[in-house]
Amino acid sequence: MTDDIKAWYLVHSKPRQEYLAQENLERQGYGTYLPVTSVRRRKDGKTVSEVGPMFPRYLFIHLSEKTDDWGPIRSTLGVANLVRFGQTPTRVPNQLISKIKQREDAEGICVLPERAYKKGDSVRIVEGPFEGYEAIFQSKNTRNRVTLLLELLQNSINIELDQKVIDIVN
C-alpha cells in the first residue's frame, strides 16, 4: 500500500449532528461523504417529507492510513467516534460508496427503490385517518396508489391510499 492511497471509513456522529460533524471535519481538511435521502418525519402532528441522512448518525470519511492525522477526528464537534471492529477502524468498500452515489439525483439526493409488496402482505398504515391500522395488501395501480383490505367494525372493506402511507409489518 502506498502512502497516498486513501480509503473510506465510517464515522459515528452524536445524535442528530451528522451535518455538524461533516462541516467540522471538512473545516479541518478531511474529505467526507454524507448520503442524504427523502425521509418521512412526524412534525406538529403531521407527516412531512424532508431531506435527511440516509444512515442516521453515520457519515463516511476519506483517509490515508499513512499520511492523514487521525487524532483530531474523535474530538471533532459532532463526532462520537470512528466505527471500529476491535482496535481497527472499519474500512468501507469503495464499491459501496460508488453504488450509493449512483443512486443520487441531480440535487445529490439518493433515490431509494420503492418496496415491492405482494398480494396478501400485512401492511401498517402510517399516516392519515387510518393511521395505526393494519391491513392486507391487494394491488397497486399506476399512480402509486394501493388497494388494501381493511377490517373495520367487523367488516372487510377495500380502501385506496397513496403507497407512501403504508409500511410492511415485520
Side-chain angles (χ1 to χ4, degrees), residues 131-144:
E131 181 177 353
Y133 283 92
E134 289 187 14
I136 305 298
F137 181 84
Q138 297 297 302
S139 63
K140 177 182 173 191
N141 69 23
T142 57
R143 298 182 326 248
N144 286 331

Side-chain angles (χ1 to χ4, degrees), residues 6-170:
K6 291 190 173 203
W8 288 101
Y9 295 89
L10 196 55
V11 172
H12 190 225
S13 75
K14 293 181 179 173
R16 293 177 298 286
Q17 293 187 18
E18 302 90 351
Y19 294 106
L20 180 65
Q22 180 182 35
E23 179 183 330
N24 286 306
L25 287 167
E26 288 180 353
R27 189 176 292 142
Q28 295 174 71
Y30 296 107
T32 66
Y33 177 52
L34 177 60
V36 294
T37 190
S38 180
V39 294
R40 298 173 67 75
R41 297 197 196 286
R42 297 286 292 171
K43 196 179 232 181
D44 298 328
K46 294 182 181 182
T47 303
V48 295
S49 185
E50 59 188 33
V51 174
M54 180 182 267
F55 309 109
R57 294 198 65 188
Y58 293 96
L59 65 146
F60 302 100
I61 188 166
H62 208 210
L63 298 168
S64 166
E65 289 185 25
K66 306 285 185 199
T67 60
D68 284 324
D69 181 7
W70 294 42
I73 296 170
R74 205 182 85 197
S75 61
T76 298
L77 194 60
V79 172
N81 215 333
L82 277 167
V83 176
R84 301 173 185 271
F85 286 118
Q87 297 298 314
T88 309
T90 304
R91 199 177 240 201
V92 177
N94 287 334
Q95 301 91 320
L96 176 63
I97 301 298
S98 295
K99 285 186 184 220
I100 294 170
K101 287 184 176 186
Q102 287 172 0
R103 291 193 172 275
E104 291 180 352
D105 64 13
E107 288 85 36
I109 299 169
C110 293
V111 179
L112 300 176
E114 288 185 8
R115 284 204 172 166
Y117 297 101
K118 298 184 300 283
K119 185 171 182 163
D121 282 349
S122 291
V123 296
R124 179 172 289 114
I125 302 168
V126 296
E127 182 181 332
F130 298 108
E131 181 177 353
Y133 283 92
E134 289 187 14
I136 305 298
F137 181 84
Q138 297 297 302
S139 63
K140 177 182 173 191
N141 69 23
T142 57
R143 298 182 326 248
N144 286 331
R145 307 237 348 133
V146 295
T147 301
L148 306 175
L149 183 63
L150 178 66
E151 185 76 30
L152 192 63
L153 301 173
Q154 299 179 340
N155 287 320
S156 294
I157 60 169
N158 282 319
I159 60 172
E160 189 176 293
L161 299 171
D162 190 308
Q163 182 175 341
K164 293 178 182 175
V165 303
I166 65 170
D167 198 7
I168 199 89
V169 175
N170 292 333

